[in-house]
Amino acid sequence: ANIKTKLEYKGERNSQGEYHGHGIMRWLNGDVFAGLWVRGLREGLGTCHFGKGAVYVGEWKCDKMNGQGMYQWPDGQKYIGDFVENFMEGSGKCEYENGSEYIGGFKCNKRHGRGRFQCKNGSEIIGIYRDDCLDGPVIIRHASGVVDVDYWENGKPVGGGVRWTADKKYVCELNKGKLGEQMTLCQGKIITEKIKTALKGGLHDI
């Protein structure tokens, strides 16, 4: 909120008259902040209810969301994790309004880095994200039990991976998301382990 839109402040001040300590600020656009101030800037823990219905609860620094916090959108979507300069950045969890959930890396408000996406239908995607798109090694556990171990670029499968049946008795090659020829279990395991290694243990430590 711009300083020109400030409507009302109630709280503590320092000897220079600056907002300092605990206080509540209301802006003309409907935003309301309640929390700690340091020399006129939001600093420390605080809660901001935005005029359009969103809310942020967490740490502030230099008048911006910085540190650990929770941001919830009007539609119910929620992010809990790291913030840098008002952006979701670092590690966090995003709960989507449709029941899906993502846990992993973020950068500039986008999924970025290694992460796990849990779909509402029970499927699970573990992979590397860049600018909100899967980009790198990916493992998809379908709700049916079928498992795809593959490579993606810019949100699309590019091939070089395999698909395992739910009982792990059969494995076929994958080419841009389409099933290819069946291969031996030994061949399938070699490709699978190579992609797992590229994920740097992503199946276990995300």
Side-chain angles (χ1 to χ4, degrees), residues 19 71-72 100 160 172 175 190:
Y19 314 139
Y71 188 98
Q72 184 165 335
S100 299
C172 295
N175 185 17
I190 290 173

Side-chain angles (χ1 to χ4, degrees), residues 59-127:
E59 297 176 314
W60 297 74
K61 186 176 181 180
C62 296
D63 216 38
K64 294 182 178 180
M65 296 179 286
N66 272 295
Q68 290 282 318
M70 183 280 292
Y71 188 98
Q72 184 165 335
W73 286 262
D75 62 9
Q77 181 176 325
K78 181 190 298 183
Y79 170 83
I80 302 171
D82 297 327
F83 286 82
V84 177
E85 299 287 314
N86 284 341
F87 287 100
M88 297 182 293
E89 187 150 332
S91 298
K93 176 175 73 172
C94 197
E95 301 172 357
Y96 299 91
E97 68 276 10
N98 63 3
S100 299
E101 179 181 276
Y102 170 82
I103 300 175
F106 286 84
K107 186 176 181 180
C108 294
N109 287 341
K110 296 180 180 180
R111 289 168 290 187
H112 194 90
R114 198 167 40 159
R116 172 190 285 131
F117 191 92
Q118 187 75 44
C119 302
K120 183 180 179 180
N121 65 7
S123 298
E124 181 184 58
I125 302 170
I126 299 173

Side-chain angles (χ1 to χ4, degrees), residues 177-195:
K178 297 181 180 180
L179 282 178
E181 296 183 0
Q182 184 176 334
M183 60 176 65
T184 67
L185 297 182
C186 183
Q187 289 173 317
K189 288 179 180 178
I190 290 173
I191 294 174
T192 297
E193 288 304 315
K194 181 179 179 181
I195 295 177

